Amino acid sequence: MNIHWNIKQLTPEEQTAAERLSAELEISPVAGRILAGRGLRTAAEARAYIRPSLDSLHDPFLMRDMTAAVDRLCRAIDNHERIMVYGDYDVDGTTAVALMYSFLRTQTDNLLYYIPDRYTEGYGISTKGIDTAKEKGCTLVIALDCGIKAVDKMDYANSLGVDFIICDHHTPGEVIPKAVAVLNMKRADCLYPYKELSGCGVGFKLVQAYAQRRGLDMTEVYRLLPLLAMSIASDIVPLTGENRVLAFYGLRALNASPSVGLQAIMRVAGIEGKTVNMTDLVYKIGPRINAAGRIKSGAEAVRLLITDDADAADRFAQDIDSYNQNRRDFDSKTTDEALAQLEKDPMNTHKFTTVVFSPEWHKGVVGIAASRLTETYYRPTIVLTAGEDDIISGSARSVSDFDIYTAIDSCRDLLTNFGGHKFAAGLSMHKADLPEFKRRFEEYVAAHIKPEQQVPTLDVEAEVELSDMNWKMYKILQCLEPFGPGNERPLFLCRHLINNRNTRSVSDGKHLHLDLTDRIVAMDGIAFGQGEKASHLQNGRSVDICFYLEENSFHGRTTLQMNAQDIKLNE
């Protein structure tokens, strides 16, 4: 697949700032360019950026309904009411439940948690969950990472005398549910300054507000930040503003003193003892936590995350690791069958969308399969499977900056339920409406998607020389972490590199070990999945390469290397 390289161009203001930062901080022009590209203009701003402060967090009471939420929570705890902590079954939801439950059990012992079943209850606040709250004597439910569209469910809960505080970050509908408090910074009537918190992040703001009201030591609240860092990483929210501060301190706490449960999951993920970063959370820990809800129950993830028993944590982590292996098997099977289905469609290559359905696919992996198909065909994708009765449901994934939520919303009259955001969504419909949905969804996307959104793009931070890629540069890059959406890991471009001595294919020709030079400096690297390009370099021809700069430790020796993301062959 051809990939477009979008090389970042600085504005005149940014160029001036880059030169100033380079001079004042005594760093290279490339490093100054990177800082200026992140909106930094002075040395003081740069120092503040690389040393985030928890003091910069916004006052939680700026959020609409926060006072009402804290008032109700205080009353429930003071009166020893039973409280249910309710959350979605994915990483954001389960970490939110674990964070809220871990905090509240220091304030009350009249507490329980509830995670809906993905298959029998589906996403969001369920009738069964409300009934369980009533049966267990819960008079207050704190709903996390869900509930913003639960208008009918709130009417039902109110009829039973069960109060709700909703903490959600998904796009609100036209009507706000009639809960005691609805915390969501995306509400049109909410003036909270930062709009990109995860669901767990909204729950954290409630904890922060309660702690402020009670005069509690905030150090104890900040001990919960590793859970919030996991949610920020796995839910792919922007790593800007508060999210960057919270993720920074969450990772610091995770590496300094992980909880018993997190230590156990790090062990089975093979990252115990190493410095954990956001990539580890996304690819090592997050999928395992998610696998519990996909294969068994999200409650098992919460059980692991809140336990103080090391032996129990090891057992729970092993269980979750086995669910993750099952998830991989289901994922592979679903993706292969979906690809085969598309290959049989003679019109497939002419479409702007991918919509596939099979009643045999495991509901827990359709979102992952949608991501895989998006990587293959690079177009808005929906993967559906059978639900209850004649209802089919599934997950949607988008490309580039195309808003798939709005595209789905254009077909809302055909749907029984849907929710999500710009890049990912969930939806359900009657099976009989699938053909019409496919037609209208394709029609909408074809009319609104831009040509540049149909080609995968690599955003290049700067075109550099190999001599720029040194340890001083690497240390500066480390200061910009944690990386993620909105604070992307810098991607560099080097042109006209040739084989130095030892460029070769490895792993049976699948990958490419790089040993490249610009005739002045040489550097090693790795290019996964690009082994077929070895002969081009071995024959003396040059390449242009987009890469990340990273450490590589081998046989006790640590060096810098290129991690190639794309290579273009020069004639």
Side-chain angles (χ1 to χ4, degrees), residues 230-245:
M230 286 171 57
S231 101
I232 290 169
S234 297
D235 221 53
I236 321 295
V237 291
L239 262 170
T240 57
E242 278 192 311
N243 281 342
R244 183 168 180 272
V245 176

Side-chain angles (χ1 to χ4, degrees), residues 69-83:
V70 174
D71 287 347
R72 183 65 185 90
L73 181 55
C74 287
R75 188 165 81 249
I77 290 172
D78 291 344
N79 294 335
H80 207 60
E81 296 177 48
R82 177 163 283 189
I83 302 170

Side-chain angles (χ1 to χ4, degrees), residues 5-57:
W5 295 358
N6 178 37
I7 303 171
K8 191 171 194 174
Q9 303 297 319
L10 297 187
T11 65
E13 180 190 4
E14 289 172 334
Q15 185 60 46
T16 300
E19 293 168 3
R20 183 189 308 120
L21 289 166
S22 178
E24 292 181 1
L25 296 173
E26 298 181 343
I27 56 178
S28 72
V30 173
R33 175 189 177 94
I34 293 170
L35 295 178
R38 278 156 173 73
L40 306 174
R41 297 291 175 266
T42 67
E45 288 178 358
R47 292 189 182 100
Y49 189 83
I50 65 178
R51 298 184 184 90
S53 172
L54 289 166
D55 292 338
S56 67
L57 296 179

Side-chain angles (χ1 to χ4, degrees), residues 22 70 95 115 117 119 129 134 155 157 195 197 206 215 219 245 276 294 349 351 377 399 417 446 472 501 522:
S22 178
V70 174
T95 54
I115 305 290
D117 183 86
Y119 306 108
K134 181 66 176 178
D155 291 342
K195 303 296 184 182
L197 294 170
L206 174 57
T219 303
V245 176
V276 176
R294 294 183 187 280
T349 57
K351 291 181 178 177
Y377 288 104
V399 296
N417 195 19
K472 187 173 182 180
R501 287 193 302 265

Side-chain angles (χ1 to χ4, degrees), residues 85-90 93-94 97-98 113-118 121 293 297-300 302:
V85 182
Y86 185 113
D88 188 26
Y89 37 67
D90 67 1
T94 54
V97 169
Y113 65 85
Y114 186 93
I115 305 290
D117 183 86
R118 178 188 289 266
E121 296 171 76
S297 168
E300 296 204 14
V302 176

Side-chain angles (χ1 to χ4, degrees), residues 264-313:
I265 199 70
M266 289 161 62
R267 192 173 303 123
V268 299
I271 56 175
E272 185 181 31
K274 75 178 286 284
T275 301
V276 176
N277 57 30
M278 293 299 274
T279 300
D280 294 320
L281 296 184
V282 172
Y283 294 106
K284 299 287 187 179
I285 296 181
R288 286 172 167 83
I289 297 299
N290 248 337
R294 294 183 187 280
I295 304 301
K296 193 70 178 290
S297 168
E300 296 204 14
V302 176
R303 182 179 66 170
L304 168 67
L305 295 172
I306 66 174
T307 188
D308 294 321
D309 184 324
D311 290 337

Side-chain angles (χ1 to χ4, degrees), residues 152-215:
D152 293 341
K153 296 297 191 302
M154 284 306 95
D155 291 342
Y156 178 63
N158 291 335
S159 73
L160 297 180
V162 178
D163 288 344
F164 267 75
I165 297 171
I166 292 173
C167 304
D168 203 353
H169 71 131
H170 294 100
T171 305
E174 295 177 2
V175 179
I176 300 297
K178 294 178 180 176
V180 168
V182 179
L183 307 178
N184 187 325
M185 58 285 155
K186 291 176 182 171
R187 288 178 57 169
D189 58 355
C190 182
L191 300 179
Y192 192 75
Y194 187 67
K195 303 296 184 182
E196 302 298 338
L197 294 170
S198 64
C200 185
V202 180
F204 172 79
K205 299 306 291 190
L206 174 57
V207 168
Q208 183 189 12
Y210 176 90
Q212 285 181 202
R213 172 75 67 82
R214 297 292 204 187

